[in-house]
Amino acid sequence: QVQLAESGGGLVQAGGSLTLSCVGSGRSISPHAMAWFRQAPGTEREFVAGITWNGRSTNYADSVKGRFTISRDNAKNTVSLQMDTLKPEDTAVYYCALDLTPRLTPPRATYEYDYWGQGTQVTVSS
């Protein structure tokens, strides 16, 4: 079992920045791909960014490419999401997720991920 805990959410004005963190406990996250998803009210949970176990491969949703950066520190059992140039449409609950299956690239589908955090709210005001 692994527990994931997100932090770093909050209220920010459009154009601002936030950094989200996700800390794993119970087992090491280092062998596993990790990802960030988000869900706005009335919408389905959507992929934001993913990173392979060694950090060498990342992928991003088109809507955040160039603005968000995913990274990880396996020694600290942590994955982060740096969010810059935030827009009101980035408002959502952000979740981190862990994929137990070894892959070359992080998957984008929610059903590929085995463990989820509780989420952290990000609100971007216009």
Side-chain angles (χ1 to χ4, degrees):
Q1 291 288 335
V2 62
Q3 292 77 45
L4 302 173
E6 303 95 339
S7 63
L11 173 63
V12 64
Q13 288 188 332
S17 299
L18 279 176
T19 301
L20 306 183
S21 295
C22 173
V23 178
S25 61
R27 67 186 289 172
S28 173
I29 69 168
S30 60
H32 307 295
M34 301 289 295
W36 287 93
F37 287 76
R38 67 186 181 187
Q39 188 168 19
T43 69
E44 294 188 352
R45 194 168 297 187
E46 65 174 2
F47 175 83
V48 174
I51 187 167
T52 51
W53 71 273
N54 57 7
R56 291 180 181 174
S57 177
T58 58
N59 53 4
Y60 296 89
D62 288 344
S63 59
V64 307
K65 200 171 295 183
R67 301 188 297 121
F68 290 11
T69 304
I70 188 171
S71 61
R72 67 189 298 160
D73 185 338
N74 287 337
K76 295 182 179 179
N77 231 33
T78 299
V79 62
S80 299
L81 185 68
Q82 173 68 40
M83 306 186 294
D84 298 316
T85 320
L86 282 160
K87 304 175 181 180
E89 51 263 43
D90 295 318
T91 295
V93 177
Y94 283 71
Y95 300 88
C96 68
L98 180 147
D99 175 18
L100 289 175
T101 303
R103 304 180 200 271
L104 295 178
T105 58
R108 295 173 178 257
T110 57
Y111 63 80
E112 300 283 13
Y113 289 85
D114 302 283
Y115 292 98
W116 295 83
Q118 293 299 307
T120 185
Q121 176 71 47
V122 172
T123 303
V124 184
S125 63
S126 57

